[in-house]
PDB file of all heavy atoms in Angstrom:
ATOM      1  N   VAL A  38       0.838  -1.163  -0.019  1.00 98.00           N
ATOM      2  CA  VAL A  38       0.000  -0.008  -0.016  1.00 98.00           C
ATOM      3  C   VAL A  38       0.874   1.247   0.001  1.00 98.00           C
ATOM      4  O   VAL A  38       2.006   1.214   0.549  1.00 98.00           O
ATOM      5  CB  VAL A  38      -0.937  -0.012   1.209  1.00 98.00           C
ATOM      6  CG1 VAL A  38      -0.178   0.182   2.498  1.00 98.00           C
ATOM      7  CG2 VAL A  38      -2.025   1.017   1.089  1.00 98.00           C
ATOM      8  N   ASP A  39       0.440   2.301  -0.644  1.00 98.00           N
ATOM      9  CA  ASP A  39       1.315   3.475  -0.852  1.00 98.00           C
ATOM     10  C   ASP A  39       1.864   4.024   0.470  1.00 98.00           C
ATOM     11  O   ASP A  39       3.004   4.493   0.510  1.00 98.00           O
ATOM     12  CB  ASP A  39       0.529   4.575  -1.572  1.00 98.00           C
ATOM     13  CG  ASP A  39       0.323   4.250  -3.084  1.00 98.00           C
ATOM     14  OD1 ASP A  39       1.023   3.353  -3.585  1.00 98.00           O
ATOM     15  OD2 ASP A  39      -0.493   4.921  -3.654  1.00 98.00           O
ATOM     16  N   SER A  40       1.074   3.999   1.508  1.00 98.00           N
ATOM     17  CA  SER A  40       1.479   4.604   2.740  1.00 98.00           C
ATOM     18  C   SER A  40       2.669   3.941   3.413  1.00 98.00           C
ATOM     19  O   SER A  40       3.294   4.514   4.333  1.00 98.00           O
ATOM     20  CB  SER A  40       0.300   4.604   3.707  1.00 98.00           C
ATOM     21  OG  SER A  40      -0.180   3.329   4.028  1.00 98.00           O
ATOM     22  N   VAL A  41       3.007   2.699   3.037  1.00 98.00           N
ATOM     23  CA  VAL A  41       4.113   1.981   3.641  1.00 98.00           C
ATOM     24  C   VAL A  41       5.263   1.732   2.697  1.00 98.00           C
ATOM     25  O   VAL A  41       6.315   1.167   3.087  1.00 98.00           O
ATOM     26  CB  VAL A  41       3.676   0.659   4.272  1.00 98.00           C
ATOM     27  CG1 VAL A  41       2.476   0.900   5.202  1.00 98.00           C
ATOM     28  CG2 VAL A  41       3.370  -0.384   3.227  1.00 98.00           C
ATOM     29  N   LYS A  42       5.131   2.123   1.431  1.00 98.00           N
ATOM     30  CA  LYS A  42       6.190   1.915   0.445  1.00 98.00           C
ATOM     31  C   LYS A  42       7.481   2.570   0.897  1.00 98.00           C
ATOM     32  O   LYS A  42       7.474   3.718   1.330  1.00 98.00           O
ATOM     33  CB  LYS A  42       5.775   2.427  -0.910  1.00 98.00           C
ATOM     34  CG  LYS A  42       4.736   1.533  -1.604  1.00 98.00           C
ATOM     35  CD  LYS A  42       4.399   2.073  -3.005  1.00 98.00           C
ATOM     36  CE  LYS A  42       3.408   1.216  -3.702  1.00 98.00           C
ATOM     37  NZ  LYS A  42       3.003   1.735  -5.026  1.00 98.00           N
ATOM     38  N   GLY A  43       8.563   1.831   0.807  1.00 98.00           N
ATOM     39  CA  GLY A  43       9.871   2.323   1.237  1.00 98.00           C
ATOM     40  C   GLY A  43      10.119   2.165   2.684  1.00 98.00           C
ATOM     41  O   GLY A  43      11.248   2.356   3.161  1.00 98.00           O
ATOM     42  N   ARG A  44       9.119   1.791   3.461  1.00 98.00           N
ATOM     43  CA  ARG A  44       9.293   1.627   4.936  1.00 98.00           C
ATOM     44  C   ARG A  44       9.083   0.146   5.342  1.00 98.00           C
ATOM     45  O   ARG A  44       9.746  -0.323   6.288  1.00 98.00           O
ATOM     46  CB  ARG A  44       8.316   2.484   5.673  1.00 98.00           C
ATOM     47  CG  ARG A  44       8.479   3.983   5.445  1.00 98.00           C
ATOM     48  CD  ARG A  44       7.647   4.836   6.376  1.00 98.00           C
ATOM     49  NE  ARG A  44       6.204   4.596   6.215  1.00 98.00           N
ATOM     50  CZ  ARG A  44       5.407   4.088   7.188  1.00 98.00           C
ATOM     51  NH1 ARG A  44       5.928   3.795   8.377  1.00 98.00           N
ATOM     52  NH2 ARG A  44       4.127   3.916   6.963  1.00 98.00           N
ATOM     53  N   PHE A  45       8.179  -0.575   4.721  1.00 98.00           N
ATOM     54  CA  PHE A  45       7.838  -1.936   5.083  1.00 98.00           C
ATOM     55  C   PHE A  45       8.345  -2.887   4.023  1.00 98.00           C
ATOM     56  O   PHE A  45       8.376  -2.561   2.835  1.00 98.00           O
ATOM     57  CB  PHE A  45       6.315  -2.129   5.219  1.00 98.00           C
ATOM     58  CG  PHE A  45       5.685  -1.446   6.397  1.00 98.00           C
ATOM     59  CD1 PHE A  45       6.348  -0.502   7.169  1.00 98.00           C
ATOM     60  CD2 PHE A  45       4.379  -1.736   6.733  1.00 98.00           C
ATOM     61  CE1 PHE A  45       5.736   0.091   8.222  1.00 98.00           C
ATOM     62  CE2 PHE A  45       3.747  -1.135   7.814  1.00 98.00           C
ATOM     63  CZ  PHE A  45       4.443  -0.212   8.571  1.00 98.00           C
ATOM     64  N   THR A  46       8.746  -4.073   4.459  1.00 98.00           N
ATOM     65  CA  THR A  46       9.181  -5.108   3.544  1.00 98.00           C
ATOM     66  C   THR A  46       8.581  -6.425   3.958  1.00 98.00           C
ATOM     67  O   THR A  46       8.722  -6.868   5.109  1.00 98.00           O
ATOM     68  CB  THR A  46      10.728  -5.233   3.555  1.00 98.00           C
ATOM     69  OG1 THR A  46      11.318  -3.986   3.198  1.00 98.00           O
ATOM     70  CG2 THR A  46      11.152  -6.296   2.526  1.00 98.00           C
ATOM     71  N   ILE A  47       7.902  -7.078   3.038  1.00 97.00           N
ATOM     72  CA  ILE A  47       7.369  -8.427   3.286  1.00 97.00           C
ATOM     73  C   ILE A  47       8.348  -9.434   2.708  1.00 97.00           C
ATOM     74  O   ILE A  47       8.876  -9.277   1.617  1.00 97.00           O
ATOM     75  CB  ILE A  47       5.925  -8.580   2.687  1.00 97.00           C
ATOM     76  CG1 ILE A  47       5.370  -9.908   3.054  1.00 97.00           C
ATOM     77  CG2 ILE A  47       5.945  -8.382   1.158  1.00 97.00           C
ATOM     78  CD1 ILE A  47       3.892 -10.071   2.700  1.00 97.00           C
ATOM     79  N   SER A  48       8.553 -10.518   3.441  1.00 95.00           N
ATOM     80  CA  SER A  48       9.427 -11.547   2.979  1.00 95.00           C
ATOM     81  C   SER A  48       8.917 -12.916   3.496  1.00 95.00           C
ATOM     82  O   SER A  48       8.081 -12.983   4.378  1.00 95.00           O
ATOM     83  CB  SER A  48      10.869 -11.315   3.442  1.00 95.00           C
ATOM     84  OG  SER A  48      10.948 -11.304   4.840  1.00 95.00           O
ATOM     85  N   ARG A  49       9.486 -13.972   2.940  1.00 91.00           N
ATOM     86  CA  ARG A  49       9.068 -15.302   3.264  1.00 91.00           C
ATOM     87  C   ARG A  49      10.255 -16.225   3.374  1.00 91.00           C
ATOM     88  O   ARG A  49      11.141 -16.212   2.493  1.00 91.00           O
ATOM     89  CB  ARG A  49       8.082 -15.837   2.207  1.00 91.00           C
ATOM     90  CG  ARG A  49       7.642 -17.293   2.324  1.00 91.00           C
ATOM     91  CD  ARG A  49       6.579 -17.601   1.361  1.00 91.00           C
ATOM     92  NE  ARG A  49       6.946 -17.251  -0.021  1.00 91.00           N
ATOM     93  CZ  ARG A  49       6.140 -17.175  -1.043  1.00 91.00           C
ATOM     94  NH1 ARG A  49       4.816 -17.388  -0.877  1.00 91.00           N
ATOM     95  NH2 ARG A  49       6.586 -16.827  -2.259  1.00 91.00           N
ATOM     96  N   ASP A  50      10.318 -16.993   4.422  1.00 89.00           N
ATOM     97  CA  ASP A  50      11.342 -17.996   4.620  1.00 89.00           C
ATOM     98  C   ASP A  50      10.699 -19.347   4.448  1.00 89.00           C
ATOM     99  O   ASP A  50       9.950 -19.802   5.311  1.00 89.00           O
ATOM    100  CB  ASP A  50      11.950 -17.857   6.021  1.00 89.00           C
ATOM    101  CG  ASP A  50      13.173 -18.759   6.204  1.00 89.00           C
ATOM    102  OD1 ASP A  50      13.214 -19.860   5.675  1.00 89.00           O
ATOM    103  OD2 ASP A  50      14.122 -18.308   6.870  1.00 89.00           O
ATOM    104  N   ILE A  51      10.982 -20.003   3.344  1.00 84.00           N
ATOM    105  CA  ILE A  51      10.307 -21.267   3.009  1.00 84.00           C
ATOM    106  C   ILE A  51      10.728 -22.364   3.996  1.00 84.00           C
ATOM    107  O   ILE A  51       9.899 -23.160   4.416  1.00 84.00           O
ATOM    108  CB  ILE A  51      10.617 -21.673   1.564  1.00 84.00           C
ATOM    109  CG1 ILE A  51      10.043 -20.611   0.594  1.00 84.00           C
ATOM    110  CG2 ILE A  51      10.010 -23.036   1.287  1.00 84.00           C
ATOM    111  CD1 ILE A  51      10.367 -20.907  -0.860  1.00 84.00           C
ATOM    112  N   VAL A  52      11.994 -22.395   4.352  1.00 83.00           N
ATOM    113  CA  VAL A  52      12.486 -23.416   5.246  1.00 83.00           C
ATOM    114  C   VAL A  52      11.804 -23.324   6.618  1.00 83.00           C
ATOM    115  O   VAL A  52      11.403 -24.310   7.192  1.00 83.00           O
ATOM    116  CB  VAL A  52      14.035 -23.348   5.391  1.00 83.00           C
ATOM    117  CG1 VAL A  52      14.495 -24.332   6.443  1.00 83.00           C
ATOM    118  CG2 VAL A  52      14.677 -23.568   4.052  1.00 83.00           C
ATOM    119  N   LYS A  53      11.727 -22.115   7.147  1.00 88.00           N
ATOM    120  CA  LYS A  53      11.083 -21.903   8.413  1.00 88.00           C
ATOM    121  C   LYS A  53       9.581 -21.837   8.361  1.00 88.00           C
ATOM    122  O   LYS A  53       8.935 -21.796   9.413  1.00 88.00           O
ATOM    123  CB  LYS A  53      11.628 -20.637   9.069  1.00 88.00           C
ATOM    124  CG  LYS A  53      13.071 -20.689   9.429  1.00 88.00           C
ATOM    125  CD  LYS A  53      13.535 -19.395  10.141  1.00 88.00           C
ATOM    126  CE  LYS A  53      14.972 -19.442  10.583  1.00 88.00           C
ATOM    127  NZ  LYS A  53      15.388 -18.192  11.245  1.00 88.00           N
ATOM    128  N   ASN A  54       9.049 -21.798   7.156  1.00 90.00           N
ATOM    129  CA  ASN A  54       7.587 -21.705   6.961  1.00 90.00           C
ATOM    130  C   ASN A  54       7.019 -20.477   7.661  1.00 90.00           C
ATOM    131  O   ASN A  54       6.000 -20.558   8.358  1.00 90.00           O
ATOM    132  CB  ASN A  54       6.909 -22.970   7.430  1.00 90.00           C
ATOM    133  CG  ASN A  54       5.699 -23.322   6.568  1.00 90.00           C
ATOM    134  OD1 ASN A  54       5.613 -22.964   5.408  1.00 90.00           O
ATOM    135  ND2 ASN A  54       4.748 -24.026   7.169  1.00 90.00           N
ATOM    136  N   THR A  55       7.710 -19.377   7.504  1.00 92.00           N
ATOM    137  CA  THR A  55       7.377 -18.148   8.217  1.00 92.00           C
ATOM    138  C   THR A  55       7.384 -16.958   7.256  1.00 92.00           C
ATOM    139  O   THR A  55       8.209 -16.896   6.366  1.00 92.00           O
ATOM    140  CB  THR A  55       8.327 -17.880   9.375  1.00 92.00           C
ATOM    141  OG1 THR A  55       8.325 -19.012  10.284  1.00 92.00           O
ATOM    142  CG2 THR A  55       7.970 -16.625  10.118  1.00 92.00           C
ATOM    143  N   VAL A  56       6.435 -16.076   7.448  1.00 94.00           N
ATOM    144  CA  VAL A  56       6.361 -14.846   6.663  1.00 94.00           C
ATOM    145  C   VAL A  56       6.634 -13.688   7.643  1.00 94.00           C
ATOM    146  O   VAL A  56       6.231 -13.690   8.781  1.00 94.00           O
ATOM    147  CB  VAL A  56       4.953 -14.688   6.027  1.00 94.00           C
ATOM    148  CG1 VAL A  56       4.904 -13.366   5.230  1.00 94.00           C
ATOM    149  CG2 VAL A  56       4.662 -15.858   5.159  1.00 94.00           C
ATOM    150  N   TYR A  57       7.353 -12.703   7.127  1.00 96.00           N
ATOM    151  CA  TYR A  57       7.765 -11.592   7.929  1.00 96.00           C
ATOM    152  C   TYR A  57       7.265 -10.278   7.368  1.00 96.00           C
ATOM    153  O   TYR A  57       7.038 -10.122   6.133  1.00 96.00           O
ATOM    154  CB  TYR A  57       9.319 -11.518   8.054  1.00 96.00           C
ATOM    155  CG  TYR A  57       9.936 -12.766   8.621  1.00 96.00           C
ATOM    156  CD1 TYR A  57      10.469 -13.698   7.775  1.00 96.00           C
ATOM    157  CD2 TYR A  57      10.023 -12.934  10.001  1.00 96.00           C
ATOM    158  CE1 TYR A  57      11.021 -14.890   8.307  1.00 96.00           C
ATOM    159  CE2 TYR A  57      10.628 -14.112  10.533  1.00 96.00           C
ATOM    160  CZ  TYR A  57      11.133 -15.059   9.642  1.00 96.00           C
ATOM    161  OH  TYR A  57      11.672 -16.188  10.169  1.00 96.00           O
ATOM    162  N   LEU A  58       7.102  -9.299   8.227  1.00 98.00           N
ATOM    163  CA  LEU A  58       6.907  -7.917   7.805  1.00 98.00           C
ATOM    164  C   LEU A  58       7.847  -7.060   8.595  1.00 98.00           C
ATOM    165  O   LEU A  58       7.663  -6.835   9.780  1.00 98.00           O
ATOM    166  CB  LEU A  58       5.440  -7.499   8.057  1.00 98.00           C
ATOM    167  CG  LEU A  58       5.098  -6.110   7.565  1.00 98.00           C
ATOM    168  CD1 LEU A  58       5.161  -6.059   6.048  1.00 98.00           C
ATOM    169  CD2 LEU A  58       3.710  -5.677   8.041  1.00 98.00           C
ATOM    170  N   GLN A  59       8.855  -6.596   7.931  1.00 98.00           N
ATOM    171  CA  GLN A  59       9.820  -5.654   8.531  1.00 98.00           C
ATOM    172  C   GLN A  59       9.225  -4.293   8.395  1.00 98.00           C
ATOM    173  O   GLN A  59       8.991  -3.811   7.306  1.00 98.00           O
ATOM    174  CB  GLN A  59      11.194  -5.759   7.839  1.00 98.00           C
ATOM    175  CG  GLN A  59      12.229  -4.790   8.392  1.00 98.00           C
ATOM    176  CD  GLN A  59      12.617  -5.089   9.838  1.00 98.00           C
ATOM    177  OE1 GLN A  59      12.871  -6.270  10.177  1.00 98.00           O
ATOM    178  NE2 GLN A  59      12.660  -4.079  10.662  1.00 98.00           N
ATOM    179  N   MET A  60       9.110  -3.547   9.523  1.00 98.00           N
ATOM    180  CA  MET A  60       8.510  -2.253   9.517  1.00 98.00           C
ATOM    181  C   MET A  60       9.526  -1.275  10.067  1.00 98.00           C
ATOM    182  O   MET A  60       9.923  -1.360  11.266  1.00 98.00           O
ATOM    183  CB  MET A  60       7.205  -2.224  10.385  1.00 98.00           C
ATOM    184  CG  MET A  60       6.203  -3.284   9.943  1.00 98.00           C
ATOM    185  SD  MET A  60       4.639  -3.123  10.810  1.00 98.00           S
ATOM    186  CE  MET A  60       5.159  -3.436  12.488  1.00 98.00           C
ATOM    187  N   ASN A  61       9.928  -0.329   9.254  1.00 98.00           N
ATOM    188  CA  ASN A  61      10.883   0.683   9.640  1.00 98.00           C
ATOM    189  C   ASN A  61      10.231   2.058   9.598  1.00 98.00           C
ATOM    190  O   ASN A  61       9.189   2.236   8.975  1.00 98.00           O
ATOM    191  CB  ASN A  61      12.102   0.649   8.713  1.00 98.00           C
ATOM    192  CG  ASN A  61      12.875  -0.657   8.780  1.00 98.00           C
ATOM    193  OD1 ASN A  61      12.943  -1.298   9.799  1.00 98.00           O
ATOM    194  ND2 ASN A  61      13.440  -1.028   7.624  1.00 98.00           N
ATOM    195  N   SER A  62      10.857   3.009  10.237  1.00 98.00           N
ATOM    196  CA  SER A  62      10.403   4.396  10.247  1.00 98.00           C
ATOM    197  C   SER A  62       8.887   4.424  10.581  1.00 98.00           C
ATOM    198  O   SER A  62       8.103   5.093   9.901  1.00 98.00           O
ATOM    199  CB  SER A  62      10.660   5.049   8.883  1.00 98.00           C
ATOM    200  OG  SER A  62      12.019   5.041   8.573  1.00 98.00           O
ATOM    201  N   LEU A  63       8.542   3.771  11.657  1.00 98.00           N
ATOM    202  CA  LEU A  63       7.153   3.673  12.002  1.00 98.00           C
ATOM    203  C   LEU A  63       6.574   5.060  12.422  1.00 98.00           C
ATOM    204  O   LEU A  63       7.249   5.893  12.988  1.00 98.00           O
ATOM    205  CB  LEU A  63       6.980   2.713  13.161  1.00 98.00           C
ATOM    206  CG  LEU A  63       7.081   1.217  12.766  1.00 98.00           C
ATOM    207  CD1 LEU A  63       7.299   0.324  13.956  1.00 98.00           C
ATOM    208  CD2 LEU A  63       5.793   0.783  12.039  1.00 98.00           C
ATOM    209  N   LYS A  64       5.306   5.213  12.063  1.00 98.00           N
ATOM    210  CA  LYS A  64       4.569   6.403  12.330  1.00 98.00           C
ATOM    211  C   LYS A  64       3.367   6.096  13.224  1.00 98.00           C
ATOM    212  O   LYS A  64       2.854   4.953  13.182  1.00 98.00           O
ATOM    213  CB  LYS A  64       4.080   7.025  11.029  1.00 98.00           C
ATOM    214  CG  LYS A  64       5.180   7.322   9.999  1.00 98.00           C
ATOM    215  CD  LYS A  64       4.591   7.845   8.720  1.00 98.00           C
ATOM    216  CE  LYS A  64       5.693   8.115   7.682  1.00 98.00           C
ATOM    217  NZ  LYS A  64       5.111   8.622   6.409  1.00 98.00           N
ATOM    218  N   PRO A  65       2.859   7.054  13.969  1.00 98.00           N
ATOM    219  CA  PRO A  65       1.661   6.812  14.769  1.00 98.00           C
ATOM    220  C   PRO A  65       0.507   6.256  13.955  1.00 98.00           C
ATOM    221  O   PRO A  65      -0.286   5.442  14.452  1.00 98.00           O
ATOM    222  CB  PRO A  65       1.383   8.164  15.347  1.00 98.00           C
ATOM    223  CG  PRO A  65       2.686   8.854  15.454  1.00 98.00           C
ATOM    224  CD  PRO A  65       3.449   8.388  14.192  1.00 98.00           C
ATOM    225  N   GLU A  66       0.357   6.675  12.721  1.00 97.00           N
ATOM    226  CA  GLU A  66      -0.707   6.219  11.874  1.00 97.00           C
ATOM    227  C   GLU A  66      -0.569   4.729  11.495  1.00 97.00           C
ATOM    228  O   GLU A  66      -1.502   4.151  10.868  1.00 97.00           O
ATOM    229  CB  GLU A  66      -0.893   7.099  10.642  1.00 97.00           C
ATOM    230  CG  GLU A  66       0.391   7.337   9.882  1.00 97.00           C
ATOM    231  CD  GLU A  66       0.996   8.681  10.283  1.00 97.00           C
ATOM    232  OE1 GLU A  66       1.066   9.009  11.501  1.00 97.00           O
ATOM    233  OE2 GLU A  66       1.408   9.431   9.358  1.00 97.00           O
ATOM    234  N   ASP A  67       0.562   4.113  11.776  1.00 98.00           N
ATOM    235  CA  ASP A  67       0.731   2.701  11.559  1.00 98.00           C
ATOM    236  C   ASP A  67       0.124   1.862  12.677  1.00 98.00           C
ATOM    237  O   ASP A  67       0.081   0.648  12.583  1.00 98.00           O
ATOM    238  CB  ASP A  67       2.211   2.352  11.452  1.00 98.00           C
ATOM    239  CG  ASP A  67       2.866   2.965  10.233  1.00 98.00           C
ATOM    240  OD1 ASP A  67       2.277   2.984   9.172  1.00 98.00           O
ATOM    241  OD2 ASP A  67       4.029   3.420  10.374  1.00 98.00           O
ATOM    242  N   THR A  68      -0.322   2.504  13.714  1.00 98.00           N
ATOM    243  CA  THR A  68      -0.912   1.821  14.851  1.00 98.00           C
ATOM    244  C   THR A  68      -2.149   1.066  14.412  1.00 98.00           C
ATOM    245  O   THR A  68      -3.089   1.633  13.844  1.00 98.00           O
ATOM    246  CB  THR A  68      -1.285   2.780  15.984  1.00 98.00           C
ATOM    247  OG1 THR A  68      -0.095   3.389  16.473  1.00 98.00           O
ATOM    248  CG2 THR A  68      -2.004   2.087  17.118  1.00 98.00           C
ATOM    249  N   ALA A  69      -2.159  -0.229  14.671  1.00 98.00           N
ATOM    250  CA  ALA A  69      -3.242  -1.081  14.221  1.00 98.00           C
ATOM    251  C   ALA A  69      -2.981  -2.500  14.707  1.00 98.00           C
ATOM    252  O   ALA A  69      -1.909  -2.828  15.215  1.00 98.00           O
ATOM    253  CB  ALA A  69      -3.409  -1.052  12.687  1.00 98.00           C
ATOM    254  N   VAL A  70      -4.003  -3.342  14.530  1.00 98.00           N
ATOM    255  CA  VAL A  70      -3.803  -4.780  14.688  1.00 98.00           C
ATOM    256  C   VAL A  70      -3.433  -5.325  13.316  1.00 98.00           C
ATOM    257  O   VAL A  70      -4.136  -5.073  12.339  1.00 98.00           O
ATOM    258  CB  VAL A  70      -5.062  -5.486  15.203  1.00 98.00           C
ATOM    259  CG1 VAL A  70      -4.850  -6.998  15.295  1.00 98.00           C
ATOM    260  CG2 VAL A  70      -5.441  -4.919  16.596  1.00 98.00           C
ATOM    261  N   TYR A  71      -2.338  -6.044  13.264  1.00 98.00           N
ATOM    262  CA  TYR A  71      -1.829  -6.601  12.037  1.00 98.00           C
ATOM    263  C   TYR A  71      -2.123  -8.060  11.920  1.00 98.00           C
ATOM    264  O   TYR A  71      -1.932  -8.840  12.877  1.00 98.00           O
ATOM    265  CB  TYR A  71      -0.315  -6.335  11.911  1.00 98.00           C
ATOM    266  CG  TYR A  71       0.051  -4.933  11.610  1.00 98.00           C
ATOM    267  CD1 TYR A  71      -0.141  -3.904  12.533  1.00 98.00           C
ATOM    268  CD2 TYR A  71       0.508  -4.597  10.311  1.00 98.00           C
ATOM    269  CE1 TYR A  71       0.192  -2.617  12.232  1.00 98.00           C
ATOM    270  CE2 TYR A  71       0.844  -3.259  10.035  1.00 98.00           C
ATOM    271  CZ  TYR A  71       0.643  -2.271  10.999  1.00 98.00           C
ATOM    272  OH  TYR A  71       0.954  -0.975  10.668  1.00 98.00           O
TER     273      TYR A  71
END
């Protein structure tokens, strides 16, 4: 979504069977349940 471009990165580790969301430069408007 445009509001997180350049700040958030989604990735997947197939071996660990885990998906990640790296969130940098967080803003108050990012407050939410994810």
Side-chain angles (χ1 to χ4, degrees):
V38 68
D39 286 345
S40 60
V41 309
K42 287 182 178 178
R44 300 189 298 118
F45 290 11
T46 303
I47 185 171
S48 62
R49 174 174 53 196
D50 188 324
I51 297 177
V52 175
K53 294 183 178 180
N54 214 26
T55 302
V56 181
Y57 303 96
L58 184 67
Q59 179 67 46
M60 306 186 297
N61 299 326
S62 302
L63 283 163
K64 304 175 181 180
E66 48 264 46
D67 295 319
T68 296
V70 178
Y71 285 72

